[in-house]
Amino acid sequence: MVLFLGVLLQAGILEGRLVDRVVASINDDAITLREFRAYYDSVRVVTPEITEGEAIQTLINRRLILHEAERMNLEGRTEEEKIQRYIGIRIRSFVKIRQEEIREFYREHAGRFRGLSLEDVSDKIERLLIEREVNRRLREHLNQLRQKTYIKVNLMSP
């Protein structure tokens, strides 16, 4: 019995010490402070100006997409790979850019292309327009997922 109490004390359970806390709930899934801090620190390397609020919302979005990917039985070596597969199947595969849209973009932004023909930049313009449309549809899709999901954020700076 004494050994058991010693283990509990060492783990911080009997002292009432907070080991980790939930900073967000998505249905029955929890994001702990430890998970959030690890994610936030990694994102700040690439995007130093990101706020904690933006980071937690992005992490929630990732969890929503991962949940949907798992429902579709999508596999991947990493979470990022699963997310990209999901976006590819659920969003990107439905985006089609018409040649007229490419020509219109070329005309509207002719100054950016400095003497390059439409043929020279057509593929780049198409990729840009695809990415814009994928991002727009992804935001829309995430809004729909959020509407049917219980989300609670408890993030307070420690």
Side-chain angles (χ1 to χ4, degrees), residues 116-127:
L116 295 172
S117 70
L118 175 60
E119 188 176 286
D120 293 336
V121 294
S122 181
D123 289 343
K124 287 182 181 179
I125 292 172
E126 182 179 30
R127 284 193 301 272

Side-chain angles (χ1 to χ4, degrees), residues 4-127:
F4 180 68
L5 288 175
V7 170
L8 290 177
L9 271 173
Q10 207 170 13
I13 294 171
L14 291 181
E15 291 178 352
R17 198 173 69 208
L18 185 62
V19 177
D20 209 353
R21 68 180 173 91
V22 174
V23 295
S25 301
I26 305 114
N27 287 333
D28 59 351
D29 187 19
I31 298 173
T32 64
L33 180 60
R34 187 173 308 173
E35 290 173 283
F36 171 71
R37 283 281 162 228
Y39 175 75
Y40 184 54
D41 291 344
S42 70
V43 169
R44 286 187 53 202
V45 171
V46 179
T47 314
E49 68 279 358
I50 193 168
T51 66
E52 286 186 345
E54 292 167 333
I56 195 69
Q57 293 305 320
T58 301
L59 191 51
I60 290 168
N61 288 342
R62 290 177 60 83
R63 289 286 177 93
L64 289 170
I65 292 172
L66 280 169
H67 177 72
E68 292 298 305
E70 288 166 6
R71 283 183 38 183
M72 292 174 63
N73 294 317
L74 296 179
E75 294 185 11
R77 289 187 303 268
T78 64
E79 285 185 353
E80 188 60 35
E81 195 173 293
K82 277 186 187 178
I83 289 170
Q84 291 307 316
R85 281 188 189 199
Y86 177 81
I87 292 170
I89 291 168
R90 182 69 176 78
I91 310 270
R92 188 176 300 278
S93 64
F94 295 101
V95 174
K96 305 293 180 234
I97 303 298
R98 298 182 332 267
Q99 284 301 312
E100 180 53 37
E101 292 175 88
I102 295 170
R103 285 191 292 273
E104 184 179 327
F105 185 90
Y106 179 77
R107 281 192 303 273
E108 289 175 2
H109 301 89
R112 290 172 61 182
F113 302 115
R114 298 189 192 126
L116 295 172
S117 70
L118 175 60
E119 188 176 286
D120 293 336
V121 294
S122 181
D123 289 343
K124 287 182 181 179
I125 292 172
E126 182 179 30
R127 284 193 301 272

